[in-house]
Amino acid sequence: MKSTRRHFLQGALATATLSSTVLGAQRAPDANDQIRIGVIGCGVRGKYLIGNLPASARVVAICDCATSRMADTLLPRGPFVQVLERFRTTDALRCNQYQDYRKMIDKERLDAVIIATPDHHHTLAAMLAMSANLDVYVEKPLTVSIQEGRQLADLVTRTGRVLQVGSQQRSMELNQMGCEFIRQGGLGKIVKVELPNYPGPIANPAYPAEPVPNGLNWDLFLGPTAMRAHNRHLWIKDAFKVGELTWRGWDLFRDYSGHLMTNWGAHSIDMVQYALARDDSGPVYVRAFRPTDADAMWKPWKPKTPAPTSAEETRFWPVEMRYDDGVAIHFTNEIDRIRFHGERGTMSMRRNAFEVDPPELMANRPDPALAEKWRGEGHVARPHLENWLDCLRSRAVPVAPVEVGHRTATVCHLANIARECKRPLTWDPLIERFENDDQANRLLERPRRHGFELPV
């Protein structure tokens, strides 16, 4: 059964690869032309991606539900001046502005879009773009639900579009080297992987109504989620403090995100999936369990997320998972990075860095200069964007394709679903359903508000 399941999943991924290569070739940009990009979402991440684009691409349209963020992009101030310098002097004066990405996709002559919106808009924006024969770069996590990810991956297969997920560690040399070392048996059989215990989201926040700021289309921000009164705590991210916490805005709340489990956790889980050769699959068992001390679980995340309001708040509960070959995954507060435990030794991994113990397991050590290459802000996303743009021309599969992004996001969502259900769950990665658990299966998708349905 395990062999059949693996072969089926590998075959599905190969079919998606073939469709992308063959169908997408009908619309490959000419090698000498600048690729025309529309950017959806002009917050910190959107501006950063614009600033990382190489000269082979040109931003011709930007979109954000808040006009102030587009103004900061076209006439950058403060921390955005340097990162947007090339864009400000070349493309900004010719750039059209939209608050509604549906209108931008309909009206603009584009080759591709970059999606850097809050998570709850990723899937609709990407599906509308691909339905309009556009290629897509979408930030991680790919989706806010497992069902969205499957629909998105299926659409990539049907349309042949190139979709790159913004899991940029896939383009970092030391992450690639470390994951390949594990895949090739450098640590022997992996028996356990440890990850930080990333907190989950807050559900159903109740904030008093505040006036909607000028230039903000609140209806468009809410998008597919339920209508509720405006309050800046619901959407403004990293712009003000609540006590010692830099407020994370939409990233805190279940309607819009899976919080740190899907945000930071997506990077770590992506490396685990890569190293374990599970890019087309996932774990088969997951459980979250009550901690003995909720305050102690919160302590490592104290500056980053609000304290638990009661001992019953599950978003800090530790999580364990297991793959069908017995490899165990532990989300624990005992570490601040990924740690792979193999029969021959261990590896600790973080962004573009890893250490092997004992060191002599790795005969060919990496160049120390590689560890300094991506420190600081700089152009960390540039290689990942360049890989995507190269694939737009060649119609090859990018380093972080949709199935990879979907399976990584799925593991994040499984952790949060297990916390919500408060009991062990058995997951079938072949059919992407929980076994004999209707309540858990109802959490695989989200209701969508009228006007923001996904295209069929």
Side-chain angles (χ1 to χ4, degrees), residues 276-315:
L276 299 183
R278 294 291 180 154
D279 283 341
D280 55 0
S281 183
V284 297
Y285 171 86
V286 55
R287 79 175 183 110
F289 53 94
R290 185 189 304 273
T292 56
D293 186 341
D295 285 336
M297 299 301 295
W298 169 59
K299 188 175 180 181
W301 308 100
K302 190 173 180 180
K304 305 173 184 70
T305 193
T309 57
S310 74
E312 294 303 309
E313 188 169 339
T314 62
R315 65 195 187 95

Side-chain angles (χ1 to χ4, degrees), residues 4 32 36 43 98 124 202 220 231 250 292 313 319 351 375 386 417 421 441:
T4 302
N32 297 319
R36 297 168 59 88
Y98 297 85
L124 178 58
I202 295 170
L220 288 176
N231 185 289
W250 58 265
T292 56
E313 188 169 339
V319 177
R351 190 172 85 170
R375 294 199 188 279
E386 287 177 336
I417 290 172
C421 290
N441 282 322

Side-chain angles (χ1 to χ4, degrees), residues 56-77:
S56 60
R58 180 162 70 90
V59 176
V60 299
I62 58 175
C63 177
D64 198 285
C65 62
T67 57
S68 60
R69 294 186 174 175
M70 289 188 284
D72 282 345
T73 304
L74 297 174
L75 295 171
R77 301 187 294 267

Side-chain angles (χ1 to χ4, degrees), residues 117-140:
T117 64
D119 302 348
H120 62 294
H121 279 285
H122 286 182
T123 300
L124 178 58
M127 292 185 77
L128 290 175
M130 289 190 293
S131 298
N133 292 321
L134 304 179
D135 296 314
V136 173
Y137 182 105
V138 58
E139 270 301 315
K140 57 83 199 155

Side-chain angles (χ1 to χ4, degrees), residues 69-282:
R69 294 186 174 175
M70 289 188 284
D72 282 345
T73 304
L74 297 174
L75 295 171
R77 301 187 294 267
F80 303 120
V81 171
Q82 184 175 0
V83 76
L84 289 171
E85 185 63 28
R86 185 186 68 81
F87 173 72
R88 185 173 67 85
T89 57
T90 58
D91 296 341
L93 296 178
R94 297 175 287 174
C95 196
N96 294 325
Q97 301 174 58
Y98 297 85
Q99 282 189 282
D100 190 332
Y101 55 80
R102 296 170 296 186
K103 293 181 180 178
M104 186 188 81
I105 290 169
D106 283 343
K107 292 184 178 181
E108 286 290 325
R109 187 169 65 86
L110 303 171
D111 296 306
V113 297
I114 290 173
I115 300 170
T117 64
D119 302 348
H120 62 294
H121 279 285
H122 286 182
T123 300
L124 178 58
M127 292 185 77
L128 290 175
M130 289 190 293
S131 298
N133 292 321
L134 304 179
D135 296 314
V136 173
Y137 182 105
V138 58
E139 270 301 315
K140 57 83 199 155
L142 184 62
T143 61
V144 293
S145 75
I146 294 173
Q147 180 60 32
E148 278 188 353
R150 177 45 54 207
Q151 290 177 265
L152 194 53
D154 288 347
L155 186 61
V156 171
T157 301
R158 294 198 303 271
T159 62
R161 306 321 308 166
V162 173
L163 187 148
Q164 174 92 297
V165 182
S167 299
Q168 61 199 29
Q169 291 181 15
R170 291 260 171 172
S171 292
M172 293 182 177
E173 294 93 334
L174 289 180
N175 288 103
Q176 293 172 345
M177 190 179 301
C179 289
E180 291 295 336
F181 179 77
I182 293 172
R183 288 179 76 144
Q184 293 164 17
L187 296 179
K189 177 178 170 54
I190 301 298
V191 295
K192 181 174 72 172
V193 183
E194 294 177 300
L195 300 165
N197 189 44
Y198 302 102
I202 295 170
N204 302 320
Y207 291 111
E210 294 178 345
V212 177
N214 291 335
L216 171 65
N217 189 320
W218 182 239
D219 179 71
L220 288 176
F221 170 80
L222 293 174
T225 69
M227 178 59 69
R228 56 164 39 101
H230 168 267
N231 185 289
R232 69 173 184 152
H233 288 77
L234 293 172
W235 70 285
I236 297 180
K237 184 174 181 289
D238 298 333
F240 61 91
K241 283 187 174 292
V242 175
E244 63 183 31
L245 171 68
T246 298
W247 193 249
R248 295 191 63 86
W250 58 265
D251 176 72
L252 278 170
F253 305 118
R254 184 183 181 276
D255 278 1
Y256 317 125
S257 170
H259 194 33
L260 295 181
M261 179 58 76
T262 60
N263 187 335
W264 296 354
H267 283 303
S268 297
I269 291 167
D270 189 52
M271 292 296 96
V272 174
Q273 290 276 103
Y274 181 5
L276 299 183
R278 294 291 180 154
D279 283 341
D280 55 0
S281 183

